[in-house]
Amino acid sequence: MRDDVAWTVDRGRYEDTVTPWEQESWRTAALAWVADALAAHGLRAAGPLRVRLRPWSVLARVPVAGRPAVWFKANPPASGFEGALTAALARWVPRHVLAPLAVDADRGWSLLPDGGALFRDLLERRAVGPETWEELLRQYADMQRALVPHTRDIARLGVPDARPDRMPRIFDELIARNTALRPADRSRLDRLRPRLLDWCAELAGLGVPDSLDHADLHDGQLFHPEPGRYTFFDWGDATVSHPFCSLHVTARRAAERYGPAVMARLRDAYLEPWTDDGRTTGELRRAVDLAWRLSALGRARAWGGLFPAAPGATAPGTAGASLSGHSARSLLELLDEPPF
């Protein structure tokens, strides 16, 4: 694939975003890597690229002759583990994830096949009841349970460590570097810290083993390739953490569609696969309450995983300031009571 291939660019709301795509040498290397990766599978690109540039990723849809398009993704250093993690997940839990066509772990590049219909697209095409969300959460929980023996291997890939005993330090670091917190909100969070220490200790003491937390599992982050089956993708925000931290984003998104009463139903569906370990329903629900609050730390941390600023830049730009604001709002969710 030559550097003179045609492409269109979507920057969304981040018009001032600077990514490696603007660097000709980087772009040339990336396009050559994609061409070589396709050739290794007997494939070739056919047609213009659609490139989506965001502060946290470069994503390009690459049309391929004779088959569905493939997707090139480049991560910034903070989430550069995603390609290697995706490849490892394809070995450990192949039914639940996409198998990449190629990964360059050193450069944070990956090439992925088309995953079929997004769950979001299914929701737009026809009426879907809460039972569908229950099933996807059961399958996601099954995947997390299968990954428990691989937790140390996941951490060795560079996936951030956000286990309960690490959460107080993460909290302190996020508070210290956030530039968008108002003084009154910073004081509220400072006063919350003793309670946060208690929550972390209690959550760890309940004994649910750590696993992989997607940290942003919504209807646009999973495919529904066939009836009764879901595959999960986009692991750039993932952490090694308490598995129940994953429930927050999914349940909130479902509640936007069906109303808040659905949350308890989804919680219990998610917990079904975890009942085999001898813990009571009360213990598991208590763990969900604690993880619901503490999951805010994972979301707040994820907003900092951006491409480095351009050389000579003296300020983070409007995109960086906006994302700092998102991180601040996530931190303030620690103050919210669980909705169950």
Side-chain angles (χ1 to χ4, degrees):
M1 189 185 307
R2 301 191 310 271
D3 187 38
D4 60 357
V5 66
W7 64 77
T8 59
V9 171
D10 164 26
R11 294 181 181 272
R13 295 174 296 150
Y14 303 99
E15 289 295 333
D16 69 339
T17 292
V18 177
T19 73
W21 182 261
E22 286 80 23
Q23 303 169 21
E24 183 178 356
S25 60
W26 186 95
R27 190 173 62 244
T28 299
L31 294 176
W33 181 81
V34 170
D36 290 344
L38 289 173
H41 292 274
L43 305 172
R44 62 178 178 82
L49 280 62
R50 295 209 308 262
V51 183
R52 194 190 76 162
L53 303 180
R54 297 293 186 267
W56 54 84
S57 69
V58 171
L59 184 67
R61 181 184 183 275
V62 183
V64 175
R67 59 166 283 169
V70 300
W71 299 84
F72 166 75
K73 185 172 185 179
N75 295 81
S79 60
F81 59 81
E82 183 178 1
L85 174 61
T86 302
L89 294 177
R91 297 192 301 271
W92 297 329
V93 286
R95 178 172 172 77
H96 297 289
V97 298
L98 293 177
L101 298 171
V103 167
D104 186 325
D106 291 336
R107 292 191 283 193
W109 295 352
S110 54
L111 190 67
L112 294 163
D114 184 80
L118 278 174
F119 185 52
R120 176 181 292 166
D121 296 338
L122 173 67
L123 296 175
E124 292 176 354
R125 289 198 305 268
R126 61 183 175 87
V128 171
E131 67 279 355
T132 306
W133 295 72
E134 292 177 39
E135 179 56 26
L136 75 86
L137 281 169
R138 289 189 193 98
Q139 291 188 24
Y140 178 74
D142 284 337
M143 182 190 68
Q144 287 183 300
R145 285 170 55 82
L147 289 172
V148 167
H150 301 287
T151 300
R152 290 185 179 180
D153 296 320
I154 293 171
R156 291 190 190 103
L157 295 173
V159 179
D161 183 348
R163 289 174 290 186
D165 63 347
R166 286 270 307 166
M167 287 179 176
R169 183 182 302 177
I170 293 171
F171 173 82
D172 292 341
E173 292 170 351
L174 289 169
I175 296 292
R177 68 172 180 250
N178 191 284
T179 59
L181 280 170
R182 297 178 299 179
D185 290 333
R186 191 178 294 274
S187 295
R188 293 169 69 200
L189 290 169
D190 287 342
R191 292 194 299 271
L192 182 72
R193 192 178 190 281
R195 294 181 66 197
L196 183 136
L197 295 178
D198 291 340
W199 294 336
C200 293
E202 183 181 357
L203 184 59
L206 288 168
V208 177
D210 298 315
S211 186
L212 184 65
D213 171 22
H214 184 286
D216 192 27
L217 185 62
H218 57 71
D219 50 4
Q221 307 279 44
L222 62 145
F223 296 107
H224 188 43
E226 59 189 51
R229 180 167 170 248
Y230 301 89
T231 53
F232 308 98
F233 73 101
D234 201 348
W235 297 97
D237 293 338
T239 63
V240 175
S241 189
H242 195 284
F244 295 2
C245 289
S246 291
L247 181 62
H248 189 130
V249 172
T250 318
R252 283 287 188 200
R253 191 61 63 94
E256 292 172 3
R257 183 172 292 268
Y258 306 107
V262 77
M263 287 191 181
R265 175 176 173 178
L266 295 180
R267 173 201 62 195
D268 291 345
Y270 172 74
L271 289 177
E272 280 182 23
W274 300 94
T275 58
D276 292 341
D277 296 334
R279 295 176 185 84
T280 67
T281 299
E283 289 172 332
L284 291 172
R285 288 180 175 176
R286 176 57 179 165
V288 166
D289 285 349
L290 294 165
W292 182 276
R293 283 189 187 267
L294 294 168
S295 66
L297 296 173
R299 292 188 300 283
R301 182 203 59 81
W303 289 111
L306 312 181
F307 285 112
T314 57
T318 57
S322 173
L323 296 175
S324 185
H326 285 305
S327 183
R329 286 189 287 277
S330 293
L331 285 169
L332 291 172
E333 291 177 4
L334 287 162
L335 299 161
D336 297 339
E337 291 291 334
F340 306 110

